[in-house]
Amino acid sequence: MCGIVGIVGHSNVNQSIYDALTVLQHRGQDAAGIVTCDGDRLFLRKDNGMVRDVFRTRHMRRLVGNMGIGHVRYPTAGSSSSAEAQPFYVNSPYGITLAHNGNLTNSAALAEDIFRADLRHINTTSDSEVLLNVFAHELQTLGKLMPQPEDIFSAVRRVHERVEGAYAVVAMITGYGILAFRDPYGVRPVCFGKRETDKGTEYMVASESVALSGLGFHLERDLAPGEAIYITSQGEIFTQQCADNPRLNPCIFEHVYLARPDSIIDDISVYKARLRMGEKLAEKLLREWPDHDIDVVIPIPDTSRTSALQLANTLDVKFREGFIKNRYIGRTFIMPGQQQRKKSVRQKLNAIELEFSGKNVLLVDDSIVRGTTCNEIIQMAREAGANKVYFASAAPPVQFPNVYGIDMPAANELIAHGRSVEEICALIGADKLIYQDLQDLVDACREGNPAIEQFECSVFDGNYVAGNISRDYLDYLERLRNDASKHKRDRERAAALAENGIIDLHNAE
């Protein structure tokens, strides 16, 4: 999960990109980067850390130009070094920078092809650099002195033919324009919009619509699966379908957890989808436990609040805020290492005792991944005086790793993998556990856009829509994503931050 943005304007776009990245900060807290273009010169600043920490006034002043792209990152695998921060740059042809959200499931084979056949060199372990070099090679083979829209779309078509997995991409061709495209399954989100200014129309692409609306851009639409959009530096806009058999299979976990509730993704309001999740979960609870003794429904901040409120309304039970969140602690879903996650829960949340004392409490979370967070929170509820602590998940059991750009851990670190609901309930220390049914989750999201025939639900059902996921690949991911590997990468990141490493072009630092 990462956040991408690209803007073509009529004046310096550095501040707008910065503002958009802060809106998308929830999609990645590990690193951030911005590259801008002024004529035929690029200015790049990227480093580990939050947006507010990576970009200082001296950096912003040097990020000049009327078009640029930005990225916020958290790593699903590989190194956490600042060298892995995006956007990436390649000199030939034209000078191309690229940022991407997703995961290429054949990146290892592609990297070998790039070295052996394309005669290009990969400097990092990032699949984004692989994707950049595939696109650059396909564009270079056309041998055009000046790239035309049809050339760019032809290169994207070849990318779709060579690349497997999920990807939403924004790229900038120095001096020419900005390109965005989406994988043929539309797994990862990307949309575009425009705003009118005194100097003319400006265009923007971003991972979520909230980044557009926050800057005064009007959402035009989401990119279709396989579609590419090219916006020239003069503001001309071109679009083309570049995949042979596109099919919209958006990631349902965006609606469960990843996206902001005020975003609209593929014509689905994330907020309304979460309301419906809460309603359907309440209906299941009433079917299976009509004589429940729940006194109060309490959400685990923040993502579950919308679902929990509608669940309480449907049950006709009091809704209360029982936990106060420290806004200066990062999302525990992103944090590597079990010990760090456990510690961060206590630092992040504090219980309001009067909402728990002597009551039967139903805690609601958006999902249960490792079980670490909910186990700690249930203990906190009991320490605050709760009589009984029930737990509800607005999502079904997470049983399988994600291969399309979400940092799901190794399968053996998923609490629901190979376990029954009763076993999970005992492990997290709840008096009762209620999961959302997968069909109810799909229906809650599809109601916003009935044209979507299938969602990408692999973390729940193990069905990888883009195919070609072997046992060897899952084993490979497990080695990369287990807590021991993450702890090693965390040490690398700490070392990189201590060195304050900077990657910059044309003295943009």
Side-chain angles (χ1 to χ4, degrees), residues 333-410:
F333 179 88
I334 293 173
M335 291 183 177
Q338 287 284 76
Q339 291 303 117
Q340 186 175 354
R341 280 188 290 271
K342 287 181 179 180
K343 181 180 178 182
S344 69
V345 171
R346 295 279 178 165
Q347 292 174 333
K348 184 171 71 171
L349 296 178
N350 190 54
I352 303 174
E353 290 190 8
L354 62 88
E355 296 296 351
F356 292 91
S357 182
K359 298 177 182 177
N360 296 334
V361 177
L362 175 63
L363 303 181
V364 181
D365 207 352
D366 51 75
S367 59
I368 303 172
V369 181
R370 295 174 176 86
T372 307
T373 299
C374 55
N375 179 268
E376 288 291 309
I377 290 172
I378 288 168
Q379 291 185 42
M380 291 171 64
R382 295 195 190 281
E383 291 166 7
N387 180 34
K388 292 182 179 179
V389 182
Y390 309 123
F391 205 94
S393 168
V398 176
Q399 303 182 69
F400 305 95
N402 183 276
V403 302
Y404 298 132
I406 303 177
D407 190 23
M408 290 294 176

Side-chain angles (χ1 to χ4, degrees), residues 36 85 90 135-136 187 236 389 401 440 447 450 459 487 499:
T36 58
V90 68
F135 172 70
V187 176
E236 297 177 280
V389 182
D440 284 344
E447 187 174 327
V459 299
H487 184 59
E499 294 172 2

Side-chain angles (χ1 to χ4, degrees), residues 34 42-47 53-63 499-509:
I34 294 175
L42 288 181
F43 301 88
L44 171 65
R45 164 66 182 173
K46 60 178 182 177
D47 202 356
D53 300 319
V54 171
F55 302 102
R56 302 295 185 180
T57 301
R58 67 182 185 276
H59 306 128
M60 297 298 290
R61 285 175 176 168
R62 294 175 178 134
L63 290 169
E499 294 172 2
N500 194 28
I502 294 168
I503 297 176
D504 224 332
L505 296 177
H506 291 300
N507 299 316
E509 150 49 25

Side-chain angles (χ1 to χ4, degrees), residues 488-499:
K488 178 182 178 182
R489 292 197 298 275
D490 200 37
R491 291 198 305 269
E492 292 174 355
R493 181 178 185 274
L497 285 172
E499 294 172 2

Side-chain angles (χ1 to χ4, degrees), residues 88-331:
F88 284 106
Y89 170 79
V90 68
N91 180 62
S92 179
Y94 314 115
I96 302 173
T97 47
L98 180 144
H100 129 266
N101 172 33
N103 182 57
L104 309 188
T105 56
N106 65 335
S107 61
L110 283 172
E112 184 71 14
D113 288 344
I114 288 167
F115 180 70
R116 300 293 182 189
D118 298 353
L119 303 181
R120 288 175 172 268
H121 181 68
I122 303 297
N123 296 299
T124 70
T125 61
S126 173
D127 61 345
S128 300
E129 190 186 12
V130 171
L131 184 54
L132 168 60
N133 277 274
V134 171
F135 172 70
H137 173 76
E138 297 302 334
L139 193 56
Q140 187 172 28
T141 57
L142 298 175
K144 298 295 183 69
L145 184 62
M146 297 176 60
Q148 298 300 313
E150 58 268 26
D151 302 320
I152 294 167
F153 294 143
S154 176
V156 173
R157 177 173 290 276
R158 282 290 297 141
V159 169
H160 289 329
E161 292 171 357
R162 294 181 64 180
V163 169
E164 297 173 3
Y167 46 94
V169 177
V170 62
M172 183 166 61
I173 304 174
T174 306
Y176 293 102
I178 283 179
L179 166 72
F181 58 93
R182 196 176 184 187
D183 73 78
Y185 294 90
V187 176
R188 301 263 68 86
V190 61
C191 58
F192 77 95
K194 64 181 181 180
R195 69 181 175 188
E196 301 300 331
T197 71
D198 294 339
K199 297 181 180 179
T201 305
E202 298 184 329
Y203 294 94
M204 177 177 177
V205 296
S207 293
E208 294 184 35
S209 64
V210 67
L212 278 69
S213 58
L215 274 72
F217 284 81
H218 175 264
L219 172 65
E220 292 293 302
R221 60 179 177 85
D222 296 88
L223 267 66
E227 184 185 16
I229 180 171
Y230 176 59
I231 308 163
T232 70
S233 57
Q234 289 76 38
E236 297 177 280
I237 185 168
F238 303 88
T239 64
Q240 188 174 116
Q241 176 54 252
C242 299
D244 291 331
N245 297 296
R247 187 174 75 238
L248 182 57
N249 297 138
C251 174
I252 205 165
F253 212 74
E254 292 278 353
H255 297 280
V256 170
Y257 174 83
L258 301 181
R260 271 183 42 159
D262 43 347
S263 284
I264 297 173
I265 299 178
D266 295 311
D267 295 326
I268 300 171
S269 164
V270 176
Y271 175 75
K272 288 187 176 181
R274 289 177 183 169
L275 284 176
R276 292 188 290 267
M277 290 176 204
E279 184 175 356
K280 291 183 179 297
L281 185 58
E283 291 169 354
K284 176 181 179 179
L285 190 150
L286 288 172
R287 287 195 308 270
E288 298 185 352
W289 192 20
D291 57 344
H292 70 82
D293 58 351
I294 300 167
D295 297 317
V296 62
V297 173
I298 293 177
I300 297 171
D302 283 315
T303 320
S304 66
R305 184 173 284 116
T306 306
S307 297
L309 178 59
Q310 189 66 7
L311 182 148
N313 288 339
T314 305
L315 293 180
D316 195 23
V317 171
K318 288 181 181 179
F319 174 86
R320 291 290 186 269
E321 295 286 351
F323 294 102
I324 299 301
K325 185 175 182 179
N326 179 353
R327 302 291 173 182
Y328 304 99
I329 299 293
R331 297 174 94 170

